Amino acid sequence: MTPFATNLILAFVWAALNGGIGVSSVLVGFLVGYAVLFILQPLFGASRYCSSLFDGVMLALYFIYELIISSLKVAWDVLTPTHRSKPALIAVPIEAKTDAEITVLANLVSLTPGSLSVDISEDKTHLLVHAMFVDDPEAFKQELHKGMERRVLEAMR
Amino acid sequence: MNGLLIACLLVPMMTAALSFILTSDVKSRGVISIFGSIALLMLSFILLYQVASGGPVSNQMGGWQAPMGITLIADMLSAILIVVTAIVSLCVNVYAVGDISRDRIAGGFFTFLNMLIVGVVGAFLTGDLFNMYVWFEVMLISSFALLVLGGNKVQLDGAVKYVAINLISTVLLLTAIGLLYGLTGTLNMADLFIRVPQVENQALVTVVAVLFLVAFGIKAAVFPLYFWLPASYHTLPISVTAVFAALMTKVGIYALIRTFTLIFPGEHSVVDTTLLGLGLVTMILGVFGAMTHSDIRRILAFHVIGSIGFMLLGLGLGSALAMGAAIFYMVHGILIKALLFMIAGIVGKLGGSFELSRLGGLYQERPGFSMVFLFAALALIGIPPLSGFWAKLLILEAGLHHDAAIVITFVIIASLLTFIPLMRIWLEAFWKPQPLESGPKIVESLDSDIIVVENGSVKSAVPLVVPPNLYIWTPVLGLSAVMLIIGLMPGKIIELSDTAAKTLIDPSAYIDTVLPNRSAAPGNLNEVQK
Amino acid sequence: MELAINIALALTAFGIIAGCIRMYKGPTPADRIVALDLITILLVAVSSLLALRLGNAAYLDLGLALALIGFLATVGFARYLEHSNIPVSDEEDRALAKAARGVNTATSGDQTND
Amino acid sequence: MTEMIVSVLIVLGGGFAAIAGLGLLRLPDVLIRMHATTKAGTLAAGLIVLGVSVYFASSLVITKALLIIAFLFLTAPVGAHLIARAVYRRKLPLWDKTLFDDAAMKSTDKASENALSDNADQGLDK
Amino acid sequence: MNSLIFSTISRLLVGLMLLFSVFLLWRGHNEPGGGFIGGLVAAAGIIVYGLAEGPGMMRKLLRIAPQTLVLIGLLTSVVSGLLPLLQDSSFLTGMWLFIGATETEKGLGLGTPLIFDIGVYLVVVGGVSGMVIALEEEL
Amino acid sequence: MEILLSLLVGVLMSVSVWMLLSRNLVKFLFGLVLISNVANLIIFKVGGLTVGAPALITDGGSAEYANSLPQALVLTAIVIGFGLVSFTLVLAHKAYQAIGTLNVDEMTLAEKRQDPADSEKSS
Amino acid sequence: MPADITSQTNAYSNSEIRKGINGSANTAFACALISAIVFFVAYLSQVSSIAAGTPWTFSGEWVPRLGVQLDFRVDGLSLLFGLLISGIGILVFLYSYGYFKVHKGHARLQWLLLSFMLAMLGLVSSDNIILLFIFWELTTITSFLLVGFDHENTQARRSALQALLVTGGGGLALLVGLIMLGQASGSYLLSEIIASGSAVTEHEHYPVILTLILLGAFTKSAQFPFHFWLPNAMAAPSPVSAYLHSATMVKAGIYLMMRLQSSLGGTEEWFYALSIAGGITAVWSSMMALRQTDLKLMLAWTTVMALGTITMFLASNLQIAALAAVTFLIVHAFYKCALFLAIGNVDKSTGTRDFNKLGSLVRFMPITALGAVLAALSMAGFPPFLGFIGKELIYEGTLTIADQPWIIVAAAVAANAMMVGIALTFIFRVFLGGESTITREPKEVYAVMWVGPVVLAIAGLLTGLLPGQITEYVIQPAVSSVMAASAEVKLSLWHGINGPLILSIITVAVGIMLFFSLSIVSRMINNLVEKLPVVGDSAYEFLLNRTQFVASKLTNRLQTGSLSHYLTIVFMAFVVSVAVTLLYHPVSMDFDRLTPVTPFIAIVVFLMISAALVLTFSNTRLLAICALGVVGSGVAVLFLVFGAIDVAITQLMVETLFVVLIATVLIKLPRFPDQTDPAKTRGLRDAVIAIAAGVVMAIITLGVSLTPLDLTVTHFFEENSLAQAYGRNIVNVILVDFRALDTLGEVAVVATAALAVIALLKVRVHAQGPR
Ligand code: NA
Ligand code: NA
């Protein structure tokens, strides 16, 4: 996506926020969006920013689904009188290389039922995960590596 | 002249901003600031002229009529005080160029100084109680900034107390204003004059009045609320102390005068008696404090408190005569405090210390400068025909007029005791020969970056004691000249003070200026007056 | 509808109270931060419910602002937790306090600090 | 109909809010509690906000609601991560049934351990 | 904070927050919001970014010294108040310009109060982020 | 309602004064934040309480609005309070750095006692 | 820095600098001398017209509001003083020129003396009492500077301060007294006050006025118990002592009493006050004079004695008393000034003033000796000097006025005998006889230095021989002024053998005896003095130290340096003042106006109160912050519920931002100290103050919220927000339009706070900074 497109999106978001897609509000929205982009210039190249924004929106939708599942599971554990959990802190080796990949992976892990990203090793090779229901750590690692991580990498590469 | 009042406010504000933005050069900032203060001085004289010739001047902000919009109004009291503020501002600005270190200026010294003036002028000009709170805060935060700028540990220690106690006062003030709004539904001070007597629950009005007394009492450094002042003033660079000593507490006094003449006049005689009593105690304790200390700055700081007591007497006695005396005393007090602190700064620069035991020989070394100090000290003590004498004479006359024997007695005692600390400065710093001490000693720091360590004759740190320069002498001599003129020709200022006092006692001109259509209002002015 | 709002408010209020209790009990600073985080998020819920109840969508603006700014608080606290010298639990805190008092009394006799 | 949907959404949201609170109270250690708050709490707020947007059904309100949800879902996992990381690095006490398999993180550990011992000293030095 | 996840997300957030802040500023005259709230949101965005990336990046983001930004904001407010003096009204009197006004619709209202609010916004953004930058740099 | 809120004001006032009087500067700071809240609450409360009628003019909406003036005052006060409290916070930090304590009773550098004996000696 | 000053001090030996000094000193001397001559001549030119009853007057405007105008009026009394001041001034300036020729402070001294003379002349010529006071104070200040002239000497500094405090304090009393006098008589003009006759003595405030004015006069004229400063003031150089402490300044009090005698006198109060003070002063100072071996001190004490004597005479309102006082005043001015100057010459030449070490100075400094001996003879009251006439008048007066003549007469004889004794000591143990133990050979002084004593001594002789002129032109007009009625007086050396003459003879006899037994007498007096209670100097010292002590104690007790102490007092003041007000003005409450409580609010309030209590007892910082956060959020929720959305948003954001800031800062701050063992009483006191503060605040808030609120202003905003300010958010419109000035100030606060914080954070703190 070009910066212009991003700008256009921002313009429409603005117009929507202002309660109606009209000529004047889109125009103002475009100006505001341009200002925001201008301000953000030093952060990174505009194209980089655009893709991040797009992924963000897409992944957000995915999160919602995952979130509902995980919440229900936690709710179950909270509401039943006994704690069935077998918590563990597991350093899972990861393949994800870029910051964006790692971030998405980590956040997805956090929103997945029963797991929470805790830390990333300094060399970015391991993701420390706190899991609520772990019987076998190695199995857990495999599952995360093969399941979640592959899906994320496929989506992003 | 729609813009005159607001110009008095905006000139220092824009000076504050522009001096910082336009340049990072230390001297240029000072020059911009000096020009700003000259502009303010000119404006203030125009204002005084207008008020003197045509009565109170007012302007509604945003064009919204009173009591809805905020009123800026200058009556005689405000106009006088703004002129005096502008004089102090100009003097301190010039002095600061020669005195303040580069670090402090880089940190925004002139911005803060001008913002302080904004707050002071705003407080003097506003006709709206909440707006007054806002200007008080502008003044307060600027003073905080000046207080800590480039600070060493002693300065920070003093700042903690200053900040803490003043913040309490701020909160109490805000509460009091809120409560008064809850009782009357208005914040306009002229409108309050009309509405306060209409409040059914007068007991609550009295309670709120007491809250105001406490809140402004802290600002004005009234006993037993003055602790912040001697805790901090002596830790500051002289330029800052000069402007603090001259203006900060006087704004509190102004607020007390304004509140208790306009909003809670007459019938709250309990408050008046209390003010009188507090004034007496403050006066004596101020002098006692000055007698206790041997650091020139601390001596003078306590004198600031002592003079607060004098000013309260005028308000406490409550007549136009007494109020006029208090206003004259205020003018004298503001200028003489600024002058004395600036002189103390020169003493520090010449003698390398503010501690009397380490000073000496200045009379021999600098006879001319000694005379300037002596002149200022005698003016403070109230030796005729200097300004302090007229202030004292006015207060004594007012006191005698009221047959207030206790007041007279206290004034006499305080005046007599005032001799002791000031003459001690003279005896020790000027007359006494320079002490020659042996052994290592740390000469007091005059500024954050000036530390002198002496061991016998060997100085083991760089003595950065700056000799006074033209920037420092000019305001001192200029202000001395002003004081001399006031002393020799006090008539005009006494006349203006009397006019101001009359406007305070009978605020109908003030009210009419703010609320020209008030005849429709139910409050009958004549009933409310004393 | 009215009932639903009241039930939802009550349940959310319960969540907030639970958060307050956890905040009070600790025992680790992290527990408190987590509790504060939850309270912030639930305040977003409360403001939305108030929008419903008072029939004014303007209350949603508060939710929006809170959602943004609440994150800032969490980040700030997390950093505080990670970098500060605060004890990791109330127990450690008490132990440290006791030790500090011991040192105090050992060195400076009658001096009491509070 | 709208009212029905709104009611369901907000009561459900309220329910999750209560569960999050309950979880915070009942679960054994801070990391496990975070599972409850980050997930159930975020969901609770999201559902209720959604309910509000359904009720008002204007583009402005919907945009606002979506923005709230987006903000929450972007920030919740990050916030959780930061707190959890601090818990881990500061070695806060965890439930004794917790299994540790974090050998690969040692490099990160070293630094924080030093920091911790320094801090402990500071703690005494008041 | 030196967290990869945090810094990645913070870049995203700061954009959203700035946009939202301008929205709040713009709508403040008619809906909840205004210069102060908008400024705070913007500052919060900048702070989030700063916490993730360090104070140096915050300075880079602001481009001019925060003190200057603050004072420019103050001057903006002052100047917005001075404009009406040109047509001999009092300080801070609102002056309005309606773009695309018709008989029924007032159109897009631009007034000195908005400029005033922009000044407030700038002061808050500069002030709050400046404080945090200074604090971060000092610690 | 009035009694309940007055009770709240009273309790909060007491707690803030208690905190302000504590010897620890950080506690003082907390007390300061709290007492600012009390002041704001008082202004807000004495300005009259109207449930759920934001001072936003809607076309054809009811003419009943919550009292807008105290709101504006409180808003101003909050902002000002923020400025002051932030400053105080940083001051506490710097003071600790310089003086090495947060105990206000130990912060007496600026006011060295002047003994009567001392002053006699020097005169 | 200190080193520089010593080098500067030494640098005065440098001849170039000396030339510079002489240059400026010559200018000063010329100014002083010319002024004195001009004034003297001017006064002389007025003599005949004033003697004829036409005073010289001048009126100018100054500060009409205060009634302080430039009113001058020279009548007989003023003329007498004016002649003395300017005439003696000429001699003293001349003398000083020689005395200080090479002194570094010569110019300064001449200027000071000139200022003093002008102040003194102003004092005696003012017709306006406030103007008189202004000059009065100026003499105090100039004399302070003159007494402390030798300022590097500790004793000089102490004496100067003492003189200043005593006379300055008296001056303050005098000021009040004069204002009251003005108010009582309805005028600040002396001529009108005097003309108003007994109006003042019949006024209800008369005793107060009298007391205050006499306090001023007594301190200035060194009357008991304020006499002590005068001998101490002898730390001043000789010409200063001669001028100020014998001839002029100390007579200012006398002048005032003479001036006001006609309006304040004639009452019992006046009589007893003056006669008792004067009597004690005379007797006490006579004794003290006999103790001294330092000639200058001896003279100083005799001055005090003379002042006492004059005061005693002024007690009576008889003409003979006034005559005696006026005459003695002149006599005393002549001989005392001459003697002081002579002693100055002796001191200068020999380096000592101890009469035991001096002797037969006539051989070395004959001219000085001539002047001194003639003056001493006048002092002893030998004919044909004016002193003789003065003494005769004293006896005549004593015999006339005293109720109990024999006691007073005895006292007068004793005092005069002492004078004789001392005069003989001067003559025979210093100048004409006696043994000298000094090592260096004294030389006669410059002409300018002996001209003073000689002229004055001769004046004493000539006026004694030919009293007619001085009586007609000076004494009679002066007495008329004192009496406020034209007086007819005649002076002559010989009155025939009468009571006074017999007393004079007795006096001389006793005096001679005294001269021979001086050492015994002084030892006896010394023994006596040791047994007497503390007076004078030590009382002053005691009072000063005590005041200083109390001041320090009180200041240190209040200004402890501890913030918690300050805050405790501040809050106590707040609680007590409000509580007392509430007690005296009970607040009535209209409970019908209460609105019902909703459960939601109740829960919020409950949570807030709980959180506040947690905050009170929290020992961990994080818990405290969290509790604070809960309270803050609760406040926000309350704002929200009651329709303040903007405020709520702001509150929450500010709260959060603050929490972030505090969390950042707390990283670097120490944890809360342990509070398990707080000082119990302190905790209790704090708790009481805190609870009381809460209670009063709750009561006030409740009271105010139950008061109906006038919503005019708010309604105006609501009506005009959209219509005239084009905004729907009323709160925002208030902020940016209706009350935009508040917001401007608020923005200024935020801007300044930000700048301040940034600047503060840049401060480099030196852990071992300056103390
Ligand atoms: Na002051
Ligand atoms: Na009054």
Side-chain angles (χ1 to χ4, degrees), chain A residues 13 15-20 56 60 63-64 67-68 70-72 74-83 85-92 103 106-123 125-128 130-132 134-138 141, chain D residues 16 18-24 26-44 47 59-61 63-64 67 69-70 73-74 76-78 80-89 94-95 97-105 107-109 111:
Chain A
V13 170
L17 277 171
N18 280 288
F63 287 169
I64 296 167
L67 188 67
I68 294 172
S70 64
S71 302
L72 289 174
V74 170
W76 184 253
D77 193 41
V78 169
L79 293 174
T80 51
T82 54
H83 295 310
S85 53
K86 287 182 181 170
L89 272 166
I90 304 169
V92 182
T103 304
N107 282 3
L108 268 181
V109 165
S110 288
L111 290 170
T112 320
S115 58
L116 189 72
S117 302
V118 173
D119 206 352
I120 296 162
S121 65
E122 276 184 355
D123 51 8
T125 56
H126 287 79
L127 181 67
L128 185 66
H130 183 263
M132 258 178 99
V134 176
D135 293 317
D136 177 9
E138 286 309 313
K141 288 180 195 171
Chain D
F16 274 112
I19 287 170
L22 202 60
L24 195 60
R26 286 203 57 207
L27 293 172
D29 77 24
V30 61
L31 284 182
I32 303 174
R33 283 175 204 140
M34 282 175 65
H35 285 273
T37 57
T38 49
K39 281 149 210 170
T42 315
L43 190 63
L47 287 172
S59 68
L60 173 67
V61 175
T63 320
K64 275 188 197 167
L67 271 178
I69 293 169
F73 289 3
L74 273 179
V78 181
H81 151 68
L82 292 175
I83 298 173
R85 187 174 86 152
V87 167
Y88 174 70
R89 290 195 175 176
L94 294 178
W95 196 27
K97 285 185 193 162
T98 307
L99 175 76
F100 282 88
D101 181 10
D102 56 345
M105 305 299 294
S107 58
T108 319
D109 247 27

Side-chain angles (χ1 to χ4, degrees), chain F residues 3 5 7 11 27 38 46-47 52 65 84 86 93 105 123:
Chain F
I3 292 181
L5 290 182
L7 178 72
V11 171
K27 287 194 177 185
V38 174
V46 299
Y65 304 111
L84 296 177
S86 307
H93 161 62
D105 283 348
S123 68

Side-chain angles (χ1 to χ4, degrees), chain B residues 130 137 141 144 148 153-154 156-158 160-161 163-164 167-168 171 174-175 178-179 181-182 187 231 234-235 292-294 298 355 424 428, chain F residues 20 25 28 32 35 39-40 42-43 46 67 69-70 73 76-77 80 84 87-88 91 94-95 98-99 107-112 114 122-123:
Chain B
F130 189 81
E137 298 315 285
I141 188 72
F144 288 177
V148 296
K153 58 202 270 185
V154 179
L156 288 172
D157 184 83
V160 167
K161 290 155 207 167
V163 169
L167 286 177
I168 302 300
V171 175
L174 182 61
T175 313
L179 290 170
Y181 169 75
L187 292 163
H234 62 284
T235 65
T292 305
H293 288 287
S294 63
R298 297 180 85 171
E355 189 62 38
R424 246 185 78 207
E428 301 262 319
Chain F
L20 289 168
L25 204 50
F28 173 88
L32 194 62
I35 204 172
N40 295 337
I42 289 176
I43 299 181
V46 299
N67 189 353
L69 180 54
L73 303 185
T76 307
I80 288 176
L84 296 177
F87 176 87
T88 315
L91 175 63
K94 276 288 167 182
I99 305 167
M107 293 188 176
T108 51
L109 288 181
E111 294 177 84
K112 283 174 287 173
Q114 204 97 42
S122 59
S123 68

Side-chain angles (χ1 to χ4, degrees), chain G residues 697-715:
Chain G
M697 221 30 148
I699 293 174
I700 303 172
T701 317
L702 184 61
V704 176
S705 33
L706 291 177
T707 310
L709 180 64
D710 184 331
L711 287 172
T712 321
V713 177
T714 303
H715 288 321

Side-chain angles (χ1 to χ4, degrees), chain B residues 228-229 233 244-250 304 308:
Chain B
W228 54 272
L229 194 155
Y233 273 24
F244 276 26
L247 297 176
M248 298 290 285
T249 50
K250 312 308 182 295
V304 172
I308 292 305

